[in-house]
Amino acid sequence: MAAICTFVGPTGPVGAEAEEVHLPIVGRQFVTVGAEVRGGPVLDYGGDSLAATPTVGPRGRIGLQHILSERFSMNLEGAFGATYLADHTMAPGGDGDAQLAFDFTLGMLGRYFAVGPTSSWTFAGGVHYRRAGLSEGSLLQMGVEGRVGYTVWTDDERFFIVELGVHAPFMEGLSMPQRSLEDIEDTPDDVPDEFYQPSASIGIQWAF
């Protein structure tokens, strides 16, 4: 009987404890998916007055969030979608037609991220690379961004973030494909470089 008790007795508590164990959050990596809407003006300051062309578009997000401490994480993120541009100046001769352009961004962010509270504010900042495929060429940008948002934990190891972002390029330009002599004669080859396109976004992402 003693042998039976010795074998059976510990089994109950050990099994119960095992069911309540969760993997530690610090050090975890979470895959995140989500969506955003991003828009902003193309600011043309080459003329007598400042002109602004609106742009807007939806994109999907996918990323990896690495929890480094109870207050800090690092994010790698990609966003893929499309952007609508009205008539704009980012084209040969400064005359680009309205269009829908494939658009993607790759970014790396450091984030204030509180582990513990069921909900809290979150702040992030970092750098990004963006490419938009215009019919006249590819808009290339390197920039910085900042975000402010709100985190809600839905259980011990799942959460979502809703956030607003501001994105500002510090390098940008239009990469042009090679053109024929006939095309160059019909349309001036020079592309105005007196433009600037900042943007803002609102997005949501879920961690799994």
Side-chain angles (χ1 to χ4, degrees), residues 165-184:
V166 177
H167 317 272
F170 54 77
M171 292 176 59
E172 64 182 338
L174 194 66
S175 175
M176 298 285 297
Q178 253 188 327
R179 300 195 300 159
S180 66
L181 290 176
E182 183 179 347
D183 288 339
I184 292 173

Side-chain angles (χ1 to χ4, degrees), residues 54-68:
T55 72
V56 68
R59 301 197 295 181
R61 285 182 181 177
I62 184 167
L64 183 68
Q65 181 158 327
H66 188 182
I67 311 298
L68 298 178

Side-chain angles (χ1 to χ4, degrees), residues 90 104 128-134 137-143 169-176 195 197:
M90 298 184 296
F104 75 86
H128 69 264
Y129 168 79
R130 178 185 176 220
R131 184 184 183 104
L134 310 182
S138 296
L139 174 65
L140 307 177
Q141 292 181 332
M142 286 290 295
F170 54 77
M171 292 176 59
E172 64 182 338
L174 194 66
S175 175
M176 298 285 297
F195 66 84
Q197 194 200 357

